[in-house]
Amino acid sequence: LLTLDEFGGAPRRRAATGRGWDAWEPEPVESEAASSRGRRRPVEDELGHLINIYGSKELFINEYRNMLAERLLSKVGYDITREMHTLELLKIRFGEASLHKCEVMLKDVLDSKRINGNVKAPPAPGTPAARDTASTDILQNSPLDATIVSALFWPPFANEAPDFKLPAEMKSMIDAYSKRYHHLKAPRQLMWRPTLGTVEVEVMRGELELQLSVSTMEAAVLSHFQRKDRWGQDELATEMGINRATLRRKAVVWINQGLLVEEKNEGDGSSYRLTTGDDGRAAFGAAAADDEGGGGGAVASAEDQAAAGMKVYEQYVIGMLTNFPSLPPDRIHNMLKMFVQDPPYDRSLDQLEAFLGQLVAEDKLALEGNQYSKR
């Protein structure tokens, strides 16, 4: 602390004692970091590192689109504030054109919120919807909220169980929603994906109370036990329109929660029954998920998407091998690049060989050495 000398007016240093030490504060830690900005890596560099990991900007954006679809389809409600903020930041880095499909996906969710409100609102008197009193009664008490998507802008959806059948209670809510949507948006109609989505379940059985979010198929498994306490595995799989492996993956959720018990029957089959009291506590967490079966995601895997993208070239390959007895993969690759223009062929040789291997597995082509021929 500096004071003026009472005689000469020159400054002299006075010991900082008393309240001076009490008022002292350490220098902020941020000051050192701010003085050396070069040590901090900008966000652009972090995105650049991610792009290098994926290999290209297109692959990174495609993976982000898949993750965004998974998040939106598993979300309960229509709050997408965080997703919109993230997209705006990515648009600054990559431009609007590259992320146009993602923007449409978020717009679909916002439009779905508005449409959902219109569908559940009481219909205007004198309209065809007003005369459908049965659908109106169902919709007024229905917890169903639908996300209506523009399929051309979303990634391909997973199709874990193409023949899956919803329980009657769920089916009636979907049918009523479809009718009211058709009245509002005629001639448009909804095509449902019943294996996608999330169900919030509240379970009360004896002393057991549960609240969890599960998939529609997992909710459907438990719903069937409202009708009877025991189902054979084959019987329930047939009732739901799914195979035994898929049924077990979905039943494991309730086995681990102590609601179901899997019992072996005589022979190869097994059955599921509702637990009661002590065996419910013993069954809690007794089963492990079947990892071999896979499945469960809303969006198709990268391998499935790549295979679907190659399907458009199947007829070209079959046509080539009709005119030529056999061809090596590099020759097929060059001919596709030369003759396929709409859509242009832009696949790698490795992708083509994987696709040709799939055609061999489907018994459409034969492979001898390095030569492919038509069956």
Side-chain angles (χ1 to χ4, degrees):
L1 298 175
L2 298 179
T3 61
L4 292 177
D5 185 87
E6 57 182 340
F7 297 105
R12 64 181 176 86
R13 187 170 298 275
R14 186 180 67 187
T17 58
R19 294 184 60 189
W21 281 109
D22 296 338
W24 178 84
E25 293 183 359
E27 186 179 6
V29 177
E30 290 81 0
S31 61
E32 181 180 355
S35 63
S36 57
R37 295 180 181 178
R39 300 179 188 175
R40 302 181 64 186
R41 190 170 61 192
V43 176
E44 289 80 1
D45 287 346
E46 295 179 1
L47 285 175
H49 281 286
L50 286 174
I51 293 171
N52 290 335
I53 291 172
Y54 281 99
S56 68
K57 181 183 77 171
E58 290 74 18
L59 289 175
F60 172 78
I61 292 175
N62 188 61
E63 183 64 21
Y64 167 72
R65 180 166 158 254
N66 290 340
M67 294 173 63
L68 178 63
E70 286 276 5
R71 186 177 181 87
L72 294 178
L73 293 175
S74 62
K75 183 182 288 288
V76 177
Y78 300 101
D79 183 11
I80 56 171
T81 305
R82 181 177 179 182
E83 289 78 9
M84 292 181 68
H85 177 69
T86 302
L87 180 62
E88 290 301 320
L89 293 177
L90 290 175
K91 283 162 66 175
I92 296 174
R93 177 67 172 82
F94 298 111
E96 294 192 7
S98 300
L99 295 161
H100 174 64
K101 290 183 178 180
C102 297
E103 192 170 9
V104 173
M105 289 162 59
L106 294 179
K107 184 177 182 299
D108 283 344
V109 176
L110 294 177
D111 290 345
S112 297
K113 180 180 181 180
R114 174 178 51 81
I115 294 172
N116 191 69
N118 294 337
V119 166
K120 292 188 174 182
T127 60
R131 293 191 289 271
D132 187 4
T133 56
S135 296
T136 301
D137 293 340
I138 293 174
L139 289 170
Q140 286 180 347
N141 301 311
S142 172
L144 173 65
D145 293 331
T147 301
I148 303 169
V149 305
S150 307
L152 293 177
F153 295 91
W154 287 66
F157 297 123
N159 197 12
E160 187 178 6
D163 300 322
F164 170 61
K165 294 177 288 188
L166 287 167
E169 301 84 359
M170 297 183 182
K171 187 71 165 58
S172 63
M173 290 188 286
I174 282 181
D175 291 342
Y177 199 106
S178 296
K179 287 181 182 179
R180 183 59 50 82
Y181 178 86
H182 181 64
H183 288 149
L184 295 173
K185 297 285 186 177
R188 297 181 184 178
Q189 294 185 348
L190 294 176
M191 295 179 61
W192 292 88
R193 296 275 186 167
T195 58
L196 305 182
T198 303
V199 182
E200 290 188 321
V201 179
E202 295 183 10
V203 181
M204 291 180 289
R205 182 170 175 79
E207 298 179 356
L208 184 63
E209 294 186 9
L210 296 174
Q211 290 185 351
L212 38 148
S213 297
V214 297
S215 69
T216 52
M217 281 196 284
E218 290 165 347
V221 169
L222 190 62
S223 175
H224 281 87
F225 285 88
Q226 293 179 315
R227 292 161 50 188
K228 58 181 184 179
D229 292 348
R230 181 186 293 271
W231 285 87
Q233 191 178 61
D234 291 335
E235 180 188 13
L236 184 54
T238 302
E239 181 76 12
M240 295 180 61
I242 60 179
N243 58 43
R244 292 170 58 179
T246 302
L247 172 61
R248 189 176 191 285
R249 284 201 305 273
K250 306 308 174 184
V252 158
V253 174
W254 306 116
I255 295 173
N256 286 335
Q257 293 295 333
L259 281 169
L260 298 181
V261 171
E262 182 178 7
E263 298 177 332
K264 295 294 181 181
N265 299 335
E266 294 182 2
D268 297 334
S270 61
S271 60
Y272 301 103
R273 68 170 176 84
L274 283 173
T275 57
T276 56
D278 294 336
D279 65 348
R281 287 187 288 272
F284 187 86
D290 183 3
D291 294 331
E292 293 181 2
V299 177
S301 65
E303 292 79 6
D304 292 340
Q305 291 187 38
M310 291 295 293
K311 271 292 182 182
V312 297
Y313 306 115
E314 180 177 339
Q315 293 304 317
Y316 291 100
V317 173
I318 298 297
M320 289 179 200
L321 296 176
T322 302
N323 297 324
F324 295 91
S326 63
L327 290 171
D330 54 348
R331 179 83 182 278
I332 297 174
H333 181 64
N334 291 333
M335 292 177 70
L336 287 172
K337 290 174 64 176
M338 186 180 303
F339 296 111
V340 179
Q341 301 297 331
D342 188 21
Y345 177 76
D346 56 356
R347 308 292 173 164
S348 66
L349 182 57
D350 290 338
Q351 290 176 313
L352 176 62
E353 289 180 341
F355 177 61
L356 294 174
Q358 179 184 342
L359 294 180
V360 171
E362 295 173 0
D363 209 26
K364 296 178 180 178
L365 299 182
L367 175 61
E368 294 183 5
N370 194 35
Q371 299 285 324
Y372 291 92
S373 60
K374 184 180 175 183
R375 283 283 186 185

